[in-house]
Amino acid sequence: MSKGILTDVTKCIGCLQCVSACKEVHHLEADEPRIWQKNDGLSAENWTSIITKPGNRFIRKQCRHCLEPACASVCPVGALHKTKIGAVVYDSSKCLGCRYCMMACPFGIPRYDWDKIVPHVEKCILCYDKIKDGEQPACTQACPQKATIFGERSELLKIAHQRIKENPGKYINKVWGEHEAGGTSVLYLSDIDLGFLSYPTNIGNKPLPDKTKTAMESVPFAFVGMGGVMLGLNWIIRRRMEFAKDENKKKDSADE
Amino acid sequence: MNRVRNTKLILWLISGFAAAIALNRFIFGLGVTTNLNDRTPWGLWIGFDVMGGVALAAGGFVITAIFYIMKREEFHPLVKPAVLTAFLGYVAVVFSLLIDLGLPWNIWHMIIYWNPHSPLFEVGWCVMLYTTVLFLEFSPVPLENFSRYARIRNFLMKYRFVFVLLGIMLSTLHQSSLGSLFLIMPFKLYPLWYTSILPIEFFISAIALGLMMITFESLLSHWIYRRKPETDIIAKLCRAVVWVLLTYFLVKMIDIIVEDKFAMIFNGSWQSFLFITELLISTIIPAILFAVPKFSRNSKVQWTGSIMVIVGVVLNRIDIGGLAMLGATGDSYTPMWTEIFISLGIISVAALVFLFAIEHFNVWDIQPKEPDALPHTLPSFDYSSKTWLGNPDVSSLTTHSLAFVVSFAVGMFLIPGSRLHSKGIENVKVNPASGFDTLFINGNRDDRFVKFPHQAHIAWLKDHNVSLSISYGNNELSINSIDSCQACHHLSLPLEKQSNCWQCHSSMYTKTNFFNHDWHAAKSGANLRCKDCHTPAETRSLRSAKKCTTCHPSYKFAAEVKNGKEKFYALSYTDAMHDLCVSCHAAESKKLKDKPNLARCTTCHKTYPEGSNGLPESLAAGLKWKINPPKFNNVILPEEKLVK
Amino acid sequence: METLLNFARGPLFRLCFALMVLGLIRILFLDVWAALKAFRKTDDKRMPWKLIFSRTWEWIFPFKRLKNNFQLYSVISILFHIGLIIVPIFLFAHIQLWKESVGISWISLSYSWAFWLTTGTIIFAVSMFIGRLVIKQTKLLSRKQDYLWLLLLLIPFVTGFVCANLTVSPATYHFFMLVHMLSGELIFVLIPFSKIAHCVLAPLSQVISVLAWKFPPMTDDDICTTLNKKGAKV
């Protein structure tokens, strides 16, 4: 039931139809370069972008919709959450603007309305309203080359591996998003290395939320434990002081 | 004996300045008042104010643990000031959070929307609860002054042990959870700092910092009020901190060795230098200093040592909160001066409240008085009725509030208005297109050249005998092949070589105001011709002026044609070019079945291999024009045609 | 010239406006504080609130004063105040500036209203100036400050009037505009530190004069100040 997107870098011609379709569907405004934007094309008004790499390679950047999203796990009010259908969606009415999601995302996806007085987090939501009703996201619908396609994640994986098998030597034998950070709903097939889509340090194949899990699970123990230790310490010290007092008294009486 | 007054004066000045900046932050948003950006969404305010602030307030739980739990009665004089510092520290943290959060009015959402997986959720709750607990812990002190509330005070005193215990438990949680915040970012945080035992390291360093913060705060406030510091008690704290620092050092080193990162410390990168500096200041040097018994009793060493630990541990928080991430994010974030002053301002306000509390409540065993609040100072004066009102207690408030007002005004003065009003849009100058017949347009130098064969476009217009009809105002203009130049050009007429597109559309993404009022005024006869453009009975403004096209009918304004409104600016280069090219291309691509991609971005925007002088090698194609210059001599200028 | 104008319109205006607003708040706060302190020290805690209110009312809307000797002068003073307050706040051009910089706007005066109010204010200010010089009693009561203030308030009104209504060359226009802005800003700065502070302190002045009566002369403070021996024990 988990939907996803497969983007085949070799097929993309960089026509930006997906970008303009996305803008239209989500009523995003025209994008002007702002001082707070960083050159990957994503912005509060651009939920997906095309990165151009040498050799006319075009890579579409968008939210990866991780299977276990770091952003959703760190949001203190649960404004971000992973839906059953696969999209990681954002509820602006809950958000308090802490921007922890932006810090935690291993792909550096969420963007912020820095210029607004009532700012929200902006990112691709896999056209949740559309896919809920059984439609396609706007971007895959708009793609003239079928370079980016929408479907069940498991089926997309099958398609991807089939393409690699059928065209030996055309692709790098890896489906980006199959395992990274516990797997993502948005997958890539490519003939060039796509390491630049995430941070340089290897993010590993385990879901990121696991890293805080141990710390968070030990919270109640630490809380009660510290209380216990403190009470115990206090009890011991008081006992000792009483003993000392008694001994002093005894000494005093002995002296007398 | 003006140390107190001067200290307060400086604090008032800084807080006034910060208040002005804070006001602007709430009017104009975070983007233009800070250097925060999409890659560094957490800056100085989180790294220093929140993370550092919470750590700096650790003195509260440390001293209560020593005094109430371990029953070390000799520390009694330090307890109340330390609890007060902790309370004010937490209030300061909350305030800086309110400034940093994008939607501060939603901060209470943490109470109703729960996400227990999030470390920040836990930190938020703990800070909320602990601030309340600290309030309850401290409130008996001010309540002493009000006999009315004796019952509440007695109640609070009775359950003080419970509050203390709760306070320690809560502190343990969130001091360590501040470390857990960064466990999810192994990809960002430099490996020297990243470790799965971050929470433990945070907790231990918080204890050390707490001890040193008590020391520092005690030394500083005694210095301000010219009292003799409690050197003997402080010496005990200094000896205790050696053990804590030693534990911290060992835990950190063992972790680094176990995770096989030891070589990284000396790999020569700036992060390794930062790490060494941080470790030296925060741990090694102070531990060595205080380990010598003679030194630990020396108040000068106490000063140095405590400042070192404070600076070092806060530096550690700043490193983890952002500085050590810059390598991975590739960003070059440096806090804007506004951010720095907000941080300073929050500290100043907290310090002022601290001084106020010390002077008015029984925080110290002997309550200090502000030296100038003597019984017979100049009487206060009412400005409106010119009456003297007897002895004021507010004489210092008069100067201090004036300082606040003046520095607020100076803050408003210094705030860079151009940045505030820019909406964060970069002003990218347009680079003129290069080439001859074939132009290579690369306005913002992002190397996706647009190859524009001018001659081909002219030829196409001729061949198709295009008759474009453009209407502006009441004029309808039909253009056919011979003067088809006007289909694309307006101000830039073919023979008027000195004005190119980019001269008016001079900014890549922002509008340019091209109307030169002075020039028009001078040209039209200076002093007596205002009425030519402005309606006489109205206030003179752009709104009441005549339209440009009333005098210059040949100026084709894309904006006017579209919305029926006249704008007094040139569109941005991108908008102008896109309006011009895309509209025509889109219309044609619908007509021409064989060219469906005509209106797509990549049809025009292509990456060409670059030649030697920044131009594509295929420039040679453009040399056509040079060999075969087009003849425009018999073109009738449209303006002459129309004005008739 | 443009840069100077922009400077006066931007940073300098922010500086002066902030000084005025906060300065007035400060003075109001200090006055209330001092009044409270004084009230605490009095033995007689009764306050004739009704009297204070009616007096303040009279003070702000001085229609009753019209019955007394200087009828013309009082009328002129009231009319002068009306123009003085309304024109700067509701002038279209001023609102336009606010709209451009912060994005807030409110209703504006029509051109003719603005014209007549400005003209009126200028005439009334001049006549008040003459009145202060001619009428014997007012002349005795006037300080230097009072004359200077009338003149200072005249400058922005006259220059504003020139800019809005007369046809002058661009250079002269800019010069007048600059003088208009600078003098206005000077007034902003001086307001909280001079007698013009009565714009916020007016409601308090009656309270304070009542309070002042509760302190008979020759109390310890007064002795100390007259003797110039601050800090001496009485």
Side-chain angles (χ1 to χ4, degrees):
Chain A
M1 195 44 209
S2 176
K3 302 277 185 186
I5 285 182
L6 173 67
T7 302
D8 190 334
V9 172
T10 57
K11 283 190 173 183
C12 181
I13 55 162
C15 66
L16 299 158
Q17 294 283 315
C18 46
V19 179
S20 44
C22 176
K23 268 182 183 287
E24 209 169 290
V25 166
H26 297 291
H27 310 292
L28 303 176
E29 286 161 31
D31 47 331
E32 291 145 318
R34 310 293 183 98
I35 42 177
W36 45 77
Q37 287 170 9
K38 299 296 160 192
N39 303 324
D40 63 352
L42 285 187
S43 71
E45 309 297 347
N46 257 349
W47 290 356
T48 178
S49 71
I50 300 281
I51 300 173
T52 315
K53 286 280 162 184
N56 271 356
R57 291 287 178 278
F58 306 101
I59 299 100
R60 184 157 84 93
K61 193 166 182 178
Q62 67 172 119
C63 173
R64 301 287 287 269
H65 299 276
C66 308
L67 298 183
E68 286 189 48
C71 56
S73 105
V74 298
C75 181
V77 288
L80 287 153
H81 75 278
K82 176 93 177 167
T83 52
K84 266 186 194 163
I85 205 161
V88 177
V89 293
Y90 170 68
D91 181 355
S92 60
S93 65
K94 282 183 180 176
C95 182
L96 47 80
C98 68
R99 310 188 290 279
Y100 194 7
C101 48
M102 302 174 71
M103 290 296 285
C105 179
F107 304 103
I109 296 296
R111 291 293 184 270
Y112 208 56
D113 292 331
W114 293 105
D115 57 330
K116 305 229 167 82
I117 302 164
V118 184
H120 295 300
V121 171
E122 306 270 354
K123 76 167 198 65
C124 161
I125 52 167
L126 208 62
C127 290
Y128 181 60
D129 289 336
K130 292 183 93 183
I131 62 172
K132 210 167 48 177
D133 303 336
E135 283 181 62
Q136 276 200 59
C139 48
T140 55
Q141 209 169 11
C143 186
Q145 303 287 319
K146 297 275 164 264
T148 179
I149 51 173
F150 175 75
E152 285 292 325
R153 183 176 183 266
S154 47
E155 277 171 31
L156 290 176
L157 268 175
K158 263 182 225 161
I159 295 172
H161 284 295
Q162 203 181 337
R163 279 189 198 171
I164 293 174
K165 213 184 268 174
E166 281 173 6
N167 307 293
K170 188 181 177 190
Y171 297 103
I172 291 174
N173 189 12
K174 179 181 178 184
V175 180
W176 273 271
E178 190 178 7
H179 302 298
E180 286 151 319
T184 62
S185 294
V186 174
L187 308 163
Y188 289 91
L189 261 182
S190 169
D191 55 349
I192 55 166
D193 185 50
L194 296 185
F196 58 85
L197 283 180
S198 60
Y199 281 100
T201 324
N202 189 16
I203 51 173
N205 288 341
K206 277 181 191 161
L208 286 165
D210 286 357
K211 299 207 179 267
T212 32
K213 220 176 228 169
T214 6
M216 292 313 291
E217 273 166 4
S218 56
V219 157
F221 302 106
F223 187 68
V224 177
M226 198 61 190
V229 168
M230 283 294 137
L231 272 180
L233 203 65
N234 185 270
W235 183 77
I236 292 168
I237 287 169
R238 260 194 281 178
R239 279 290 295 252
R240 263 197 207 163
M241 283 165 76
E242 273 167 32
F243 277 132
K245 247 187 211 167
D246 288 347
E247 263 172 37
N248 276 347
K249 267 185 194 168
K250 271 179 199 165
K251 256 187 192 171
D252 290 348
S253 52
D255 287 347
E256 279 169 18
Chain B
M1 189 60 196
N2 271 332
R3 203 178 270 172
V4 186
R5 276 196 76 164
N6 289 342
T7 314
K8 281 187 186 170
L9 187 69
I10 293 166
L11 295 176
W12 275 104
L13 281 172
I14 298 173
S15 42
F17 200 77
I21 299 167
L23 179 75
N24 280 292
R25 175 253 172 273
F26 282 107
I27 294 177
F28 294 102
L30 279 166
V32 287
T33 44
T34 64
N35 274 350
L36 296 174
N37 59 55
D38 280 333
R39 277 197 203 164
T40 313
W42 282 2
L44 182 78
W45 291 343
I46 295 290
F48 176 70
D49 296 35
V50 176
M51 306 246 303
V54 168
L56 286 172
F61 89 92
V62 174
I63 196 76
T64 47
I66 294 172
F67 183 71
Y68 291 102
I69 306 289
M70 297 176 195
K71 294 280 172 201
R72 300 290 290 266
E73 305 285 344
E74 69 268 30
F75 288 104
H76 179 257
L78 298 182
V79 176
K80 281 193 261 180
V83 172
L84 176 62
T85 321
F87 173 61
L88 291 176
Y90 274 89
V91 175
V93 165
V94 172
F95 269 94
S96 37
L97 255 183
L98 287 179
I99 290 176
D100 180 78
L101 287 180
L103 308 159
W105 46 89
N106 282 352
I107 196 170
W108 55 275
H109 278 184
M110 257 193 229
I111 303 170
I112 53 166
Y113 301 118
W114 283 35
N115 179 17
H117 302 294
S118 166
L120 192 62
F121 168 78
E122 195 223 309
V123 172
W125 263 95
C126 282
V127 168
M128 248 186 304
L129 291 175
Y130 186 49
T131 313
T132 320
V133 166
L134 277 171
F135 176 73
L136 295 176
E137 257 179 69
F138 183 70
S139 50
V141 179
L143 284 181
E144 252 176 283
N145 293 12
F146 307 97
S147 50
R148 236 182 297 173
Y149 304 115
R151 273 176 65 190
I152 301 176
R153 186 169 180 273
N154 290 340
F155 174 80
L156 290 175
M157 292 295 276
K158 197 173 161 191
Y159 292 102
R160 188 173 244 187
F161 187 80
V162 181
F163 297 142
V164 166
L165 195 66
L166 255 180
I168 296 166
M169 288 152 79
L170 287 168
S171 291
T172 317
L173 282 198
H174 70 262
Q175 291 288 0
S176 52
S177 290
L178 275 181
S180 316
L181 283 184
F182 298 91
L183 286 179
I184 205 158
M185 308 171 202
F187 47 87
K188 268 189 184 174
L189 196 56
Y190 196 74
L192 273 177
W193 284 275
Y194 185 84
T195 150
S196 48
I197 57 158
L198 259 183
I200 298 169
E201 285 182 3
F202 262 57
F203 180 63
I204 302 172
S205 56
I207 295 175
L209 184 60
L211 287 167
M212 285 299 96
M213 196 54 201
I214 302 164
T215 309
F216 178 70
E217 165 255 294
S218 170
L219 287 170
L220 184 66
S221 49
H222 281 78
W223 176 80
I224 290 175
Y225 288 100
R226 294 181 191 271
R227 300 260 183 115
K228 211 178 158 294
E230 290 118 341
T231 321
D232 294 339
I233 315 173
I234 289 171
K236 284 183 188 167
L237 291 178
C238 293
R239 276 197 295 279
V241 89
V242 175
W243 296 106
V244 184
L245 287 176
L246 207 62
T247 323
Y248 177 63
F249 184 73
L250 285 178
V251 167
K252 208 164 186 165
M253 277 301 125
I254 290 170
D255 176 71
I256 279 180
I257 291 165
V258 167
E259 294 204 7
D260 202 20
K261 292 175 191 162
F262 191 74
M264 258 185 170
I265 303 178
F266 304 104
N267 70 0
S269 61
W270 63 268
Q271 287 100 337
S272 68
F273 281 115
L274 185 66
F275 185 80
I276 293 169
T277 323
E278 181 205 303
L279 207 61
L280 275 178
I281 303 178
S282 70
T283 319
I284 299 173
I285 300 178
I288 292 170
L289 275 181
F290 288 141
V292 184
K294 203 177 105 189
F295 279 174
S296 67
R297 275 192 297 275
N298 183 330
S299 79
K300 266 182 195 158
V301 179
Q302 287 171 356
W303 272 103
T304 6
S306 60
I307 290 175
M308 283 183 110
V309 173
I310 289 168
V311 171
V313 177
V314 170
L315 181 65
N316 171 264
R317 300 300 194 262
I318 293 175
D319 288 344
I320 292 173
L323 198 54
M325 290 180 188
L326 294 184
T329 55
D331 195 24
S332 55
Y333 165 84
T334 34
M336 197 174 156
W337 59 271
T338 48
E339 292 174 66
I340 296 171
F341 269 98
I342 290 251
S343 302
L344 290 178
I346 286 170
I347 296 172
S348 305
V349 175
L352 279 172
V353 179
F354 180 82
L355 294 181
F356 174 85
I358 273 195
E359 278 165 22
H360 292 83
F361 309 128
N362 203 8
V363 179
W364 283 352
D365 295 338
I366 306 153
Q367 206 169 310
K369 271 268 172 266
E370 192 182 306
D372 62 350
L374 293 167
H376 303 292
T377 43
L378 268 182
S380 74
F381 177 66
D382 172 57
Y383 290 92
S384 58
S385 61
K386 306 269 159 278
T387 11
W388 295 98
L389 277 174
N391 267 335
D393 285 346
V394 288
S395 64
S396 68
L397 194 60
T398 324
T399 23
H400 290 153
S401 58
L402 183 67
F404 181 87
V405 170
V406 169
S407 73
F408 184 94
V410 172
M412 293 299 283
F413 178 74
L414 289 178
I415 276 262
S418 57
R419 186 176 164 131
L420 295 190
H421 292 292
S422 70
K423 289 194 164 178
I425 298 170
E426 278 175 288
N427 193 7
V428 180
K429 276 259 168 210
V430 174
N431 282 306
S434 45
F436 299 94
D437 172 36
T438 306
L439 287 176
F440 285 91
I441 305 169
N442 188 18
N444 62 343
R445 288 280 180 267
D446 70 346
D447 293 334
R448 294 193 74 180
F449 287 89
V450 173
K451 187 175 157 194
F452 180 76
H454 189 234
Q455 203 59 279
H457 277 79
I458 295 172
W460 189 86
L461 283 170
K462 257 184 191 168
D463 289 352
H464 289 71
N465 199 11
V466 172
S467 144
L468 292 169
S469 77
I470 296 156
S471 62
Y472 42 90
N474 296 323
N475 301 314
E476 184 120 344
L477 177 67
S478 288
I479 300 160
N480 42 43
S481 54
I482 185 69
D483 47 9
S484 54
C485 304
Q486 249 202 343
C488 302
H489 300 274
H490 49 98
L491 274 172
S492 175
L493 300 167
L495 289 179
E496 197 193 2
K497 284 281 175 58
Q498 67 268 36
S499 63
N500 296 306
C501 311
W502 56 271
Q503 285 179 321
C504 286
H505 305 282
S506 61
S507 174
M508 197 65 204
Y509 306 103
T510 48
K511 291 159 186 150
T512 319
N513 184 4
F514 62 78
F515 180 72
N516 189 340
H517 184 265
D518 281 359
W519 186 87
H520 277 84
K523 204 78 177 169
S524 64
N527 45 354
L528 297 168
R529 301 274 303 266
C530 301
K531 279 173 195 155
D532 286 4
C533 297
H534 296 280
T535 333
E538 269 182 87
T539 318
R540 269 176 235 143
S541 72
L542 276 179
R543 215 166 68 169
S544 69
K546 275 184 194 167
K547 289 181 172 183
C548 297
T549 39
T550 10
C551 303
H552 310 277
S554 66
Y555 289 1
K556 184 186 82 181
F557 286 95
E560 185 206 18
V561 175
K562 271 189 179 166
N563 310 328
K565 259 187 193 171
E566 190 156 291
K567 303 274 164 60
F568 291 88
Y569 45 75
L571 290 173
S572 70
Y573 192 72
T574 5
D575 284 348
M577 290 299 147
H578 283 170
D579 276 1
L580 195 63
C581 306
V582 179
S583 53
C584 195
H585 272 219
E588 285 304 310
S589 76
K590 270 180 198 160
K591 274 190 236 157
L592 306 169
K593 292 274 156 58
D594 55 327
K595 286 182 176 172
N597 286 344
L598 200 59
R600 294 222 162 108
C601 307
T602 38
T603 311
C604 301
H605 292 278
K606 285 189 178 122
T607 321
Y608 291 95
E610 280 200 45
S612 55
N613 49 4
L615 286 175
E617 279 167 7
S618 46
L619 184 69
L623 291 173
K624 238 192 231 166
W625 192 343
K626 216 175 177 184
I627 303 159
N628 211 355
K631 285 174 187 161
F632 288 115
N633 296 338
N634 49 1
V635 174
I636 308 159
L637 292 183
E639 190 161 359
E640 293 166 25
K641 213 164 86 182
L642 268 168
V643 172
K644 278 183 278 177
Chain C
M1 204 62 173
E2 281 286 304
T3 37
L4 254 179
L5 279 174
N6 277 333
F7 177 74
R9 203 180 288 150
L12 198 62
F13 174 78
R14 289 200 300 266
L15 176 89
C16 299
F17 193 72
L19 265 181
M20 179 186 75
V21 173
L22 280 190
L24 286 176
I25 293 172
R26 163 178 171 268
I27 282 216
L28 190 66
F29 169 77
L30 285 180
D31 245 34
V32 171
W33 187 274
L36 280 176
K37 282 274 167 189
F39 180 69
R40 233 188 246 174
K41 280 180 190 167
T42 52
D43 297 329
D44 182 15
K45 298 280 181 199
R46 280 173 301 160
M47 289 290 279
W49 286 116
K50 245 186 183 173
L51 187 72
I52 291 171
F53 277 125
S54 63
R55 271 197 203 159
T56 314
W57 187 257
E58 267 173 44
W59 207 89
I60 296 174
F61 301 101
F63 300 114
K64 265 193 186 170
R65 225 198 289 164
L66 297 181
K67 286 176 193 158
N68 67 15
N69 298 341
F70 306 107
Q71 285 169 358
L72 188 64
Y73 191 80
S74 305
V75 171
I76 287 176
S77 163
I78 295 167
L79 291 174
F80 168 70
H81 275 88
I82 291 174
L84 190 65
I85 294 165
I86 288 179
V87 174
I89 300 178
F90 294 103
L91 194 74
F92 171 76
H94 291 180
I95 297 172
Q96 202 63 20
L97 285 173
W98 281 104
K99 205 175 175 181
E100 276 165 28
S101 57
V102 203
I104 46 168
S105 65
W106 51 91
I107 48 159
S108 63
L109 285 174
S110 71
Y111 175 79
S112 51
W113 268 101
F115 177 84
W116 287 115
L117 276 173
T118 316
T119 326
T121 315
I122 294 171
I123 294 169
F124 296 137
V126 173
S127 43
M128 273 174 81
F129 190 77
I130 297 168
R132 276 201 190 270
L133 283 174
V134 173
I135 304 169
K136 213 179 173 186
Q137 289 93 324
T138 26
K139 197 182 174 183
L140 283 171
L141 279 172
S142 303
R143 294 153 291 170
K144 265 184 201 162
Q145 219 198 76
D146 298 323
Y147 297 109
L148 282 178
W149 261 111
L150 274 173
L151 290 180
L152 185 56
L153 287 174
L154 260 177
I155 300 173
F157 274 86
V158 171
T159 47
F161 184 85
V162 168
C163 288
N165 299 296
L166 301 184
T167 32
V168 288
S169 72
T172 330
Y173 175 85
H174 283 162
F175 172 73
F176 272 101
M177 203 34 142
L178 192 67
V179 174
H180 175 72
M181 287 198 267
L182 291 180
S183 59
E185 278 153 9
L186 182 66
I187 291 170
F188 280 170
V189 174
L190 291 180
I191 282 176
F193 306 106
S194 64
K195 70 163 200 171
I196 308 295
H198 72 251
C199 60
V200 289
L201 296 182
L204 264 176
S205 61
Q206 290 301 320
V207 180
I208 282 162
S209 66
V210 166
L211 272 174
W213 277 109
K214 292 183 189 264
F215 293 99
M218 310 296 281
T219 44
D220 51 344
D221 302 335
D222 284 349
I223 299 167
C224 289
T225 25
T226 20
L227 289 179
N228 245 345
K229 277 187 187 170
K230 278 185 272 174
K233 281 191 179 172
V234 185

